[in-house]
Amino acid sequence: MGSRSSHAAKIPDVDSIRRETGFSQASLLRLYHRFRALDRTGKGYLSRLDLQQIEALAVNPLGDRIIDSFFPDGSLRLDFPGFVRVLAHFRPVDEEEDGNRDPKEPEPLNSRMNKLRFAFQLYDLDRDGKISRHEMLQVLRLMVGVQVTEEQLESIADRTVQEADEDGDGAVSFLEFTKEGSFLVVEDGHAQLQASILLAVGRDFLFSTIPSRVSLASLEPCPFSRGMELSIWPGLCHVPTTKAKK
Amino acid sequence: MLRAALPLLGLPLAGAGATEKPTQEPGSPGEPPPGLALFRWQWHEVEAPYLVALWILVASLAKIVFHLSRKVTSLVPESCLLILLGLALGGIVLAVAKKAEYQLEPGTFFLFLLPPIVLDSGYFMPSRLFFDNLGAILTYAVVGTLWNAFTTGAALWGLQQAGLVAPRVQAGLLDFLLFGSLISAVDPVAVLAVFEEVHVNETLFIIVFGESLLNDAVTVVLYKVCNSFVEMGSANVRATDYLKGVASLFVVSLGGAAVGLVFAFLLALTTRFTKRVRIIEPLLVFLLAYAAYLTAEMASLSAILAVTMCGLGCKKYVEANISHKSRTAVKYTMKTLASCAETVIFMLLGISAVDSSKWAWDSGLVLGTLFFILFFRALGVVLQTWVLNQFRLVPLDKIDQVVMSYGGLRGAVAFALVILLDRTKVPAKDYFVATTIVVVFFTVIVQGLTIKPLVKWLKVKRSEHHKPTLNQELHEHTFDHILAAVEDVVGHHGYHYWRDRWEQFDKKYLSQLLMRRSAYRIRDQIWDVYYRLNIRDAISFVDQGGHVLSSTGLTLPSMPSRNSMAETSVTNLLRESGSGACLDLQVIDTVRSGRDREDAAMHHLLCGGLYKPRRRYKASCSRHFISEDAQERQDKEVFQQNMKRRLESFKSTKHNICFTKSKPRPRKAGHKKKDGVANTEATNGKPPRDLGFHDTAAVILTVESEEEEDSDSSETEKEDDEGIIFVARATSEVLQEGKASGSLEVCPSPRIIPPSPTCAEKELPWKSGQGDLAVYVSSETTKIVPVDMQTGWNQSISSLESLASPPCTQAPTMTRLPPRPRAPEEPQVPLKLPLSSDPHSCFAFPPSLAKAGRSRSESSADIPQQQELQPLMGHKDHTHLSPGTANSHWCIHFNKGGRL
């Protein structure tokens, strides 16, 4: 594409994006290349179709919902700031910053709450702030394979809602969502690598699962060679340049 | 010796006669027998095995005694108690025999006692956790052990140079390095014994334990290298020898792992063909694993690593192949053997320590060693953790490090290795033995005793035994999928790549080769849960009168199982009538109708049923634990699902795009339990969500009835493999057919059909009233169910007994179950709950059955043309829905109820 210059200056509004999302210069550059690579026709924004063409997403049961989350409010275009803004949810929580952050500033995108909210919105399709039984059923339907029958799905959905539902309105509110049992356990922040939601929601929510699983990343050459980014966003350090070149 | 030993050993037997008899025995062998002896004493012929059996018996009895008091065992780890017991027994032996007997022989230890423990830990290793933390584990195991060995050895040498070790300890640097190498390795047996009682969090446990398992290779290499260097004499060691030493590290570790994997492969392959000889399945597991151990030992590779890898590697395939009972057998036998070996090891350790002829004391050496191993362990852990934490997002904090340092227990491996030293080559052997004994005792007893309070005091995160909740299960999977998706968006493909490739390979070839064909589809877990739920349902039906479940809206995951009303009712009937003899008591015992039961069930259901995220296992470098077969199919499934939705959203207005998907899909009319919802939907005229799909097409599910897993004919197995074929035909023809069938057969719209439980109750008159249910049933059982019931019952028993086998085959007989009086009571609902064995007869079905029912009505001539997987329908489901004869074809229509 000829845009492989290693200069971040090519990215429009690079500074404001960085301030908002907390990505490093290098991460942004990488993301930018990815963005350009996804945008095959070079139109300067991504359409739903661009994302749908990612092969692996097609086999992801939640793929469409994820794609939808990139296009808030029914918009059809995804520009680079928007792209980065969504991805910023997946940066690990900055532990230090959590403590001495200016309370007036808006919560960073990668805060626990925002991560949870992001996940919550994938359930809450009608955006009414509640996961209804129906929405739960839909998620389950997406997630569960052929082995489970519709009746079972329904009963599972019932149970799931019941389990989390504290105020008895038959739906899971965001508060309940964050509280659901194990969510609490996590907050005291002890390292918990077990493969459960504790981990996912715990310290770093989303991407923490990857690095923990990838504790063996320490043995891989990649983290060392790109060590700088690893601490910023482990997921990004593996962005293959070859892919970006396409 | 005998005279001395036997009374001792016979002591626990308490007057079995063993104590008196042996005293007369020694004289007899010398004299010629005076004739036909009425009674001959042949102690020598049975001596060895007898003693082994006695030792194990003593140890087991001691275990029982320890556990009589919960207070003691809660304070003192069992390993400590066993060592102390060993000390006491050894003391008695010593006092009576004037010389020490019964050592922990290195040969016995390495050949017989160690393998079961390692196999147990390898086989039941929480693989995901293990591979999640593989980086840390390997670092600690390799770097940490090397570090410990060299620093401890060098420091001891320095200590000697400083004159703090008595000069009578004749040892050079190499000797100390040798000693350092054997004393530095954290011992799996000791760690397992102590940590299992401490219950620290899993991460911590797996790191310490994994380290102790994997460092075996390093220990073996270091020990051997140092040993040969010592034997060669330090003067003769050349540079190439050092290189060889380094190379041998790789040879030993990788070779050991390779041997293990080869045997894992063989084992998996063998179990594939044990279909008709189920009984030897457990044996095979043990034999081949043991063979792996011996082979590795023979080739002087790391045997521990070999068995660990064998256990880790074979589990996925073996578990899929062997029967449920065999699995239980394997599990129990393995645990028994491991626990037995562990017990004996600790006891023998204690006894061995008594033998003062073997060791010589030097305070400087002992204290120095103790200090150094603790110090360097701590230092090593801190340094390595610091490095690791640079790369771990969830760092190991200080408390973890303290526990890890303190948890570095030494054990029988070190002891056995030190005993193996050659005194002529290592003059200081006796001192080393004494030091090792002290170190082992110190770490096991002192550290073992204090680690629990320490963990409590430091508030180390304990492992929690929270019940798995549905939310957890669901969210965990959701998040995994989210992560995977985001990675895709970002284009994160880096270092998982080769693993991806390997998984592909495994999917295509390995699993095909190693797994029984029927094992592809039969989700053992699901079957298991499903089956138990069935039984539970039956019981709770009786307990709660059969109404509660549906009325609370809290339906069980096994609701559809009620479709096979015959079975349920049989169970109920017989249970009510008190003829519990038929029921497998075990099953009943374990089936509690409680919330936690249900939780677990749901958990398992979700566990097995949720789509596995593609990324989820990538970080684990073993593909032996991943059910690849699921992967492929689910990929296809999800793909088609997604495509379908995209198509649909494409059709709808652009403005609406995000929300199209958001709308609930239409419930497939007619097969709802609580079809109140379905009704309202239908009546409201809500547009069906899956417009693009359902408008044009009815879905035909062509279902192959599942064959019993155990069935003999390989032919059926083949058929089995074809699985459920879900076919969507987007042709009007099908739709018409569906409609036609709808009108032809009395298949009423869901509105008319009462919820199936009620149907059931109406169907089976004795179910109608809660109150009189019990009475009616118990009094009338024999009358109601004369012959058919009995056969049905018998078969259901057999199905109860073999949990592994799907219960479908029993059904045909039971289908005739419902007694005649049903019809007049319920004219408007022409229901036949139990599916008759004739798949072509047409009825209307209760909503829950309707999907099956419709389909059945169709001629099976509708050959699927275009594959469309319907993820929501399970084979599990249809086996219960359609408990017809095996291999019968079912074509299932999905139609929107409102459209009919």
Side-chain angles (χ1 to χ4, degrees):
Chain A
M1 291 188 111
S3 67
R4 293 278 314 152
S5 87
S6 57
H7 216 271
K10 294 219 166 185
I11 309 172
D13 295 333
V14 65
D15 284 331
S16 60
I17 295 175
R18 214 173 62 187
R19 227 173 298 119
E20 186 185 3
T21 61
F23 278 121
S24 76
Q25 192 87 247
S27 296
L28 278 182
L29 197 63
R30 224 171 265 285
L31 284 179
Y32 189 61
H33 288 142
R34 177 65 180 164
F35 181 80
R36 300 284 298 270
L38 287 175
D39 176 19
R40 292 176 198 214
T41 51
K43 51 193 177 300
Y45 62 90
L46 294 182
S47 66
R48 215 171 276 267
L49 198 63
D50 287 323
L51 290 184
Q52 282 173 352
Q53 272 169 359
I54 300 174
E55 212 175 290
L57 268 185
V59 294
N60 191 323
L62 291 178
D64 280 342
R65 292 196 179 201
I66 306 278
I67 292 175
D68 287 342
S69 69
F70 277 93
F71 297 90
D73 311 324
S75 65
L76 296 174
R77 298 178 169 203
L78 175 66
D79 55 1
F80 183 63
F83 182 67
V84 177
R85 210 171 291 130
V86 173
L87 292 179
H89 286 103
F90 296 87
R91 283 179 58 232
V93 177
D94 314 311
E95 288 293 331
E96 320 82 53
E97 276 181 33
D98 258 6
N100 48 22
R101 193 165 34 83
D102 187 0
K104 276 173 234 156
E105 277 180 39
E107 240 181 320
L109 287 170
N110 59 338
S111 74
R112 259 185 212 104
M113 274 305 160
N114 275 328
K115 283 165 188 280
L116 283 174
R117 196 160 282 128
F118 184 87
F120 183 76
Q121 279 167 3
L122 290 181
Y123 291 80
D124 180 25
L125 286 173
D126 55 7
R127 304 283 147 97
D128 64 349
K130 279 176 188 170
I131 306 174
S132 65
R133 175 182 173 280
H134 215 84
E135 284 161 342
M136 194 65 92
L137 188 63
Q138 282 179 282
V139 173
L140 279 167
R141 199 177 278 138
L142 290 176
M143 300 281 297
V144 178
V146 284
Q147 306 89 15
V148 181
T149 64
E150 188 71 9
E151 284 82 7
Q152 288 172 321
L153 268 188
E154 280 177 29
S155 57
I156 290 174
D158 283 339
R159 272 303 292 276
T160 315
V161 172
Q162 261 182 19
E163 226 175 59
D165 185 18
E166 284 174 355
D167 53 13
D169 61 351
V172 182
S173 68
F174 181 62
L175 202 63
E176 288 160 350
F177 183 73
T178 57
K179 271 186 187 168
E180 275 161 26
S182 51
F183 285 80
L184 285 174
V185 184
V186 180
E187 285 301 318
D188 54 348
H190 209 287
Q192 185 89 6
L193 279 186
Q194 70 191 38
S196 79
I197 192 164
L198 298 187
L199 172 65
V201 185
R203 274 172 104 68
D204 304 307
F205 183 32
L206 298 176
F207 260 13
S208 70
T209 46
I210 301 300
S212 64
R213 239 157 252 175
V214 177
S215 62
L216 68 150
S218 54
L219 296 180
E220 301 279 345
C222 171
F224 288 107
S225 57
R226 301 184 193 151
M228 187 179 69
E229 275 130 26
L230 180 69
S231 52
I232 294 149
W233 184 13
L236 272 184
C237 91
H238 303 295
V239 175
T241 46
T242 49
K243 259 255 147 80
K245 262 178 205 159
K246 260 196 252 167
Chain B
M1 161 218 132
L2 271 178
R3 212 175 304 169
L6 261 194
L8 267 177
L9 294 173
L11 215 53
L13 291 178
T19 39
E20 286 90 44
K21 294 285 159 64
T23 49
Q24 303 151 7
E25 179 262 337
S28 51
E31 304 155 10
L36 183 61
L38 249 182
F39 185 85
R40 274 206 311 154
W41 193 260
Q42 297 179 324
W43 164 250
H44 283 290
E45 285 162 36
V46 297
E47 179 177 356
Y50 205 82
L51 284 181
V52 170
L54 274 184
W55 276 121
I56 296 175
L57 182 65
V58 171
S60 312
L61 289 179
K63 254 189 162 167
I64 297 177
V65 172
F66 295 154
H67 283 278
L68 284 182
S69 157
R70 187 165 290 178
K71 210 171 189 180
V72 173
T73 40
S74 69
L75 285 177
V76 188
E78 207 180 76
S79 50
C80 297
L81 289 172
L82 283 169
I83 281 194
L84 294 177
L85 172 78
L87 273 177
L89 283 180
I92 298 173
V93 171
L94 190 68
V96 177
K98 302 293 185 257
K99 66 181 177 112
E101 299 284 345
Y102 314 116
Q103 299 290 330
L104 178 59
E105 298 295 338
T108 319
F109 173 72
F110 281 119
L111 289 185
F112 301 114
L113 293 178
L114 194 52
I117 299 176
V118 180
L119 177 62
D120 174 57
S121 48
Y123 195 76
F124 293 108
M125 176 90 74
S127 50
R128 174 147 186 201
L129 205 57
F130 179 76
F131 285 104
D132 280 356
N133 294 288
L134 190 63
I137 291 172
L138 275 179
T139 313
Y140 290 120
V142 178
V143 182
T145 309
L146 287 174
W147 157 271
N148 282 347
F150 281 112
T151 51
T152 310
L156 282 175
W157 182 70
L159 206 64
Q160 194 205 30
Q161 296 297 308
L164 289 172
V165 175
R168 62 176 186 276
V169 181
Q170 299 166 342
L173 178 57
L174 268 181
D175 296 288
F176 278 119
L177 284 181
L178 173 61
F179 179 61
S181 71
L182 67 86
I183 202 73
S184 62
V186 176
D187 184 71
V189 184
V191 165
L192 202 61
V194 169
F195 270 67
E196 272 195 341
E197 297 182 27
V198 176
H199 302 302
V200 294
N201 62 71
E202 285 99 332
T203 313
L204 210 47
F205 175 76
I206 202 75
I207 287 181
V208 178
F209 179 55
E211 176 199 345
S212 70
L213 273 180
L214 295 193
N215 68 15
D216 173 66
V218 182
T219 314
V220 168
V221 171
L222 267 183
Y223 178 79
K224 278 180 184 154
V225 168
C226 289
N227 207 5
S228 53
F229 283 2
V230 166
E231 288 177 1
M232 283 155 61
S234 52
N236 304 326
V237 179
R238 304 204 188 106
T240 51
D241 290 325
Y242 290 109
L243 283 181
K244 276 186 201 164
V246 174
S248 73
L249 175 62
F250 289 98
V251 171
V252 167
S253 53
L254 296 181
V259 167
L261 290 179
V262 167
F263 274 91
F265 179 83
L266 288 179
L267 175 53
L269 194 62
T270 321
T271 51
R272 201 190 148 174
F273 302 105
T274 51
K275 194 173 184 176
R276 303 184 192 186
V277 266
R278 292 280 187 200
I279 202 73
I280 62 163
E281 280 169 346
L283 190 64
L284 280 174
V285 174
F286 290 104
L287 280 183
L288 278 163
Y290 193 49
Y293 187 90
L294 293 180
T295 310
E297 192 75 42
M298 183 177 68
S300 62
L301 302 171
S302 170
I304 291 187
L305 213 52
V307 171
T308 308
M309 292 312 287
C310 183
L312 269 175
C314 71
K315 194 181 183 192
K316 173 193 166 192
Y317 307 105
V318 168
E319 296 271 281
N321 282 339
I322 64 179
S323 74
H324 188 275
K325 282 177 183 172
S326 300
R327 251 176 293 164
T328 315
V330 166
K331 187 175 164 191
Y332 267 90
T333 319
M334 222 176 249
K335 293 282 178 206
T336 309
L337 285 179
S339 142
C340 176
E342 187 186 280
T343 311
V344 170
I345 285 174
F346 282 115
M347 203 173 66
L348 285 182
L349 257 185
I351 292 178
S352 310
V354 176
D355 182 8
S356 59
S357 68
K358 278 196 176 165
W359 47 276
W361 182 270
D362 182 82
S363 310
L365 185 64
V366 169
L367 292 178
T369 311
L370 268 185
F371 174 75
F372 286 137
I373 60 162
L374 289 175
F375 175 73
F376 286 120
R377 165 91 185 161
L379 191 61
V381 164
V382 169
L383 288 178
Q384 292 169 69
T385 311
W386 183 80
V387 175
L388 282 174
N389 276 352
Q390 306 296 311
F391 302 104
R392 284 175 76 91
L393 250 205
V394 183
L396 297 160
D397 59 20
K398 290 203 177 61
I399 293 175
D400 290 335
Q401 295 174 33
V402 170
V403 175
M404 278 163 62
S405 315
Y406 203 68
L409 306 179
R410 273 46 164 200
V413 173
F415 181 78
L417 286 178
V418 81
I419 292 285
L420 276 178
L421 288 178
D422 184 355
R423 189 175 289 135
T424 55
K425 301 282 169 45
V426 189
K429 179 190 172 187
D430 289 349
Y431 295 99
F432 288 159
V433 171
T435 313
T436 308
I437 289 177
V438 172
V439 166
V440 169
F441 277 37
F442 179 84
T443 52
V444 172
I445 295 180
V446 177
Q447 286 178 232
L449 270 176
T450 49
I451 198 164
K452 224 175 194 176
L454 183 80
V455 163
K456 227 176 246 169
W457 181 63
L458 287 175
K459 297 196 178 66
V460 175
K461 190 118 194 159
R462 304 296 194 91
S463 62
E464 297 136 32
H465 293 290
H466 55 264
K467 277 182 285 181
T469 65
L470 283 176
N471 280 292
Q472 249 185 39
E473 197 71 38
L474 176 66
H475 296 328
E476 184 190 326
H477 278 80
T478 316
F479 291 159
D480 277 339
H481 283 303
I482 295 175
L483 284 180
V486 169
E487 277 182 32
D488 293 332
V489 168
V490 171
H492 166 146
H493 287 295
Y495 75 112
H496 294 309
Y497 182 70
W498 63 271
R499 216 165 281 135
D500 246 352
R501 296 298 295 270
W502 175 258
E503 280 179 17
Q504 292 293 328
F505 171 76
D506 184 33
K507 206 190 304 175
K508 274 192 191 139
Y509 305 106
L510 217 51
S511 291
Q512 306 264 339
L513 188 63
L514 295 181
M515 276 207 213
R516 202 165 290 189
R517 291 216 194 134
S518 51
Y520 288 148
R521 240 184 15 165
I522 297 180
R523 293 252 166 342
D524 294 300
Q525 213 178 14
I526 294 273
W527 271 120
D528 216 30
V529 172
Y530 200 75
Y531 201 80
R532 276 178 295 161
L533 277 173
N534 251 350
I535 296 164
R536 212 258 322 261
D537 261 11
I539 290 166
S540 53
F541 243 50
V542 175
D543 290 347
Q544 308 171 358
H547 293 279
V548 180
L549 293 172
S550 47
S551 62
T552 52
L554 189 154
T555 48
L556 297 171
S558 58
M559 271 313 201
S561 71
R562 270 199 234 136
N563 301 338
S564 54
M565 185 52 74
E567 195 183 75
T568 317
S569 54
V570 171
T571 314
N572 287 341
L573 281 173
L574 284 171
R575 194 156 177 274
E576 273 304 309
S577 62
S579 63
C582 309
L583 276 179
D584 184 354
L585 284 181
Q586 211 55 324
V587 174
I588 295 239
D589 280 347
T590 50
V591 175
R592 298 178 299 272
S593 57
R595 201 189 148 103
D596 54 343
R597 182 99 207 138
E598 200 166 324
D599 274 339
M602 289 275 203
H603 173 79
H604 288 307
L605 199 65
L606 277 177
C607 241
L610 286 172
Y611 286 138
K612 304 275 182 302
R614 287 166 307 107
R615 294 280 173 200
R616 176 164 177 178
Y617 294 102
K618 295 264 181 63
S620 76
C621 68
S622 164
R623 39 287 136 193
H624 296 280
F625 321 101
I626 311 154
S627 50
E628 248 76 23
D629 53 307
Q631 198 74 20
E632 191 175 23
R633 207 180 45 235
Q634 111 177 15
D635 278 359
K636 210 194 287 173
E637 209 175 293
V638 176
F639 177 80
Q640 292 178 348
Q641 219 181 345
N642 283 346
M643 281 310 163
K644 204 174 66 198
R645 276 200 312 277
R646 277 177 198 168
L647 189 71
E648 152 202 335
S649 65
F650 183 70
K651 279 183 182 172
S652 59
T653 63
K654 288 214 164 178
H655 182 70
N656 228 2
I657 264 180
C658 348
F659 299 104
T660 321
K661 282 161 210 145
S662 78
K663 282 179 197 157
R665 288 161 148 219
R667 298 157 150 254
K668 312 257 163 39
H671 59 95
K672 290 293 103 68
K673 269 274 134 50
K674 297 139 282 170
D675 56 345
V677 190
N679 285 343
T680 48
E681 262 186 25
T683 43
N684 288 350
K686 255 195 187 176
R689 248 77 34 171
D690 287 357
L691 264 180
F693 183 59
H694 281 281
D695 261 352
T696 53
V699 184
I700 297 186
L701 291 186
T702 310
V703 162
E704 292 262 293
S705 266
E706 202 146 337
E707 182 56 16
E708 273 224 10
E709 192 193 3
D710 283 351
S711 93
D712 270 348
S713 81
S714 54
E715 195 187 1
T716 46
E717 196 178 54
K718 217 175 269 172
E719 305 230 74
D720 215 14
D721 280 335
E722 287 168 19
I724 326 156
I725 305 165
F726 299 91
V727 175
R729 291 186 52 179
T731 54
S732 52
E733 172 201 339
V734 175
L735 193 61
Q736 283 163 2
E737 222 168 49
K739 281 174 179 171
S741 73
S743 55
L744 264 179
E745 300 131 26
V746 218
C747 186
S749 97
R751 258 157 289 186
I752 310 180
I753 302 183
S756 73
T758 1
C759 289
E761 286 144 19
K762 286 178 187 168
E763 275 291 296
L764 309 171
W766 60 82
K767 292 219 158 291
S768 51
Q770 292 193 37
D772 50 5
L773 170 72
V775 184
Y776 187 36
V777 165
S778 46
S779 58
E780 296 287 283
T781 310
T782 43
K783 289 173 202 164
I784 296 178
V785 269
V787 184
D788 290 349
M789 192 65 135
Q790 290 303 337
T791 33
W793 173 241
N794 285 336
Q795 292 184 0
S796 77
I797 291 162
S798 63
S799 73
L800 275 177
E801 282 169 350
S802 64
L803 281 177
S805 49
C808 55
T809 42
Q810 282 85 46
T813 350
M814 301 182 219
T815 49
R816 278 172 291 159
L817 169 67
R820 289 267 39 101
R822 153 186 46 116
E825 293 181 21
E826 195 184 34
Q828 85 280 17
V829 183
L831 274 185
K832 280 191 187 154
L833 259 179
L835 304 178
S836 89
S837 42
D838 172 17
H840 294 284
S841 57
C842 312
F843 329 99
F845 288 90
S848 57
L849 284 182
K851 62 185 164 195
R854 294 240 197 82
S855 70
R856 277 150 100 245
S857 58
E858 299 318 313
S859 66
S860 41
D862 285 325
I863 310 286
Q865 287 163 357
Q866 172 201 353
Q867 276 218 338
E868 175 78 35
L869 295 177
Q870 240 306 342
L872 306 175
M873 291 286 305
H875 53 267
K876 222 171 37 150
D877 166 44
H878 69 73
T879 36
H880 280 270
L881 285 175
S882 56
T885 48
N887 305 328
S888 60
H889 262 70
W890 304 90
C891 294
I892 296 178
H893 263 161
F894 279 148
N895 264 319
K896 203 110 166 94
R899 308 193 74 78
L900 273 177

